[in-house]
Amino acid sequence: MASEVLCTRWTMVLVRELLEGSTRFGDLRRGVPRMSPTLLSQRLKELEAAGIVVRAPVTDEVGIYEYLLTTAGRDLKHIIESFGIWGQKWIETQATLENLDPALLMWDMRRNINPAPLPSQRTVVQFCYPELPTNRREWWLIIDPKAKIEVDLCATDPGFEVDLCVTTDLKTMTAIWMGLYSVKESQSKLLVDGDPALARSMARWLGLSHFAAQKKIAG
């Protein structure tokens, strides 16, 4: 019965996104970008019926709802972590890097950014993937300790001055995020332009996968 609830397509990935803190439908879509809105809605209803999430209205926003994990849902954390560790160890590198998605990569980088080494004022870091179509080529991370959302992600130019621009290919950036290669090891494939201090500290503030520290065993 547990497998019937959890092993349907995209369900484990959706639960992982909920565990990472996404609660609204739009944010859940950004965290699971290949999941259609219809299927996302269906899976949320199934998780609600199974007692894994509850749908609750947002107090100060009429008609807006959040999806919150129940005790049973939060209890899945160790299962999700085990899935991720196993995949990092045993899924072959090439297979892992076949289905690249800039939206998913940048969304996860956004939530794992370490603001500590960054300036106390707003910092804007632009990432550019020249090989991608125009509408998926440029992304902006906005880190502002004084803002309501400390680290925000934009797929369109937010209009702020860019402090650092990182140009590379999506495969290289994904490999860095996964911990397969370090920033230093990938320097020949990274074009970094802007604030020298931000460039030097990139390895410290860059948001990597939670599983990046797990050594890959499969080649």
Side-chain angles (χ1 to χ4, degrees):
M1 291 179 67
S3 67
E4 288 178 5
V5 173
L6 299 174
C7 295
T8 52
R9 183 169 174 78
W10 295 116
T11 298
M12 295 296 277
V13 184
L14 175 56
V15 172
R16 183 253 186 187
E17 189 62 26
L18 287 159
L19 283 165
E20 289 288 351
S22 293
T23 60
R24 299 194 182 190
F25 194 89
D27 287 342
L28 291 168
R29 280 208 66 198
R30 296 180 80 177
V32 195
R34 298 189 181 187
M35 194 177 190
S36 71
T38 301
L39 184 57
L40 174 56
S41 180
Q42 179 184 333
R43 290 288 181 264
L44 286 169
K45 290 177 181 176
E46 291 169 355
L47 291 173
E48 189 176 2
I52 293 172
V53 301
V54 291
R55 182 172 176 263
V58 177
T59 305
D60 56 348
E61 298 184 47
V62 179
I64 303 298
Y65 291 85
E66 290 184 312
Y67 295 88
L68 306 173
L69 288 166
T70 63
T71 301
R74 293 190 296 273
D75 203 32
L76 290 168
K77 180 179 179 180
H78 297 302
I79 296 174
I80 299 297
E81 288 177 345
S82 295
F83 259 66
I85 290 170
W86 184 89
Q88 181 79 350
K89 287 170 67 175
W90 296 108
I91 301 297
E92 292 185 1
T93 301
Q94 284 306 115
T96 304
L97 294 175
E98 275 179 6
N99 300 307
L100 303 177
D101 191 311
L104 179 58
L105 171 66
M106 296 305 303
W107 183 246
D108 211 72
M109 285 171 58
R110 171 204 64 86
R111 74 170 140 231
N112 291 328
I113 285 285
N114 174 21
L118 297 173
S120 56
Q121 70 270 20
R122 182 179 61 216
T123 302
V124 179
V125 182
Q126 180 183 6
F127 287 82
C128 183
Y129 306 109
E131 80 277 17
L132 298 186
T134 304
N135 64 336
R136 293 167 68 80
R137 184 176 300 163
E138 295 179 304
W139 302 81
W140 290 261
L141 285 171
I142 304 166
I143 305 97
D144 189 348
K146 299 175 184 177
K148 184 177 180 180
I149 301 175
E150 185 174 8
V151 183
D152 204 1
L153 172 66
C154 293
T156 56
D157 191 342
F160 300 130
E161 182 179 350
V162 173
D163 298 289
L164 191 72
C165 181
V166 181
T167 303
T168 186
D169 61 276
L170 183 59
K171 189 172 183 179
T172 294
M173 198 72 245
T174 303
I176 293 172
W177 171 76
M178 290 178 62
L180 302 179
Y181 305 102
S182 67
V183 170
K184 185 176 181 179
E185 291 170 331
S186 306
Q187 280 183 344
S188 63
K189 296 182 179 180
L190 295 172
L191 177 60
V192 183
D193 184 31
D195 187 326
L198 285 178
R200 287 194 300 269
S201 63
M202 184 174 171
R204 294 171 55 211
W205 56 256
L206 186 66
L208 303 184
S209 164
H210 286 307
F211 308 111
Q214 173 61 55
K215 184 179 179 180
K216 183 168 281 296
I217 295 175

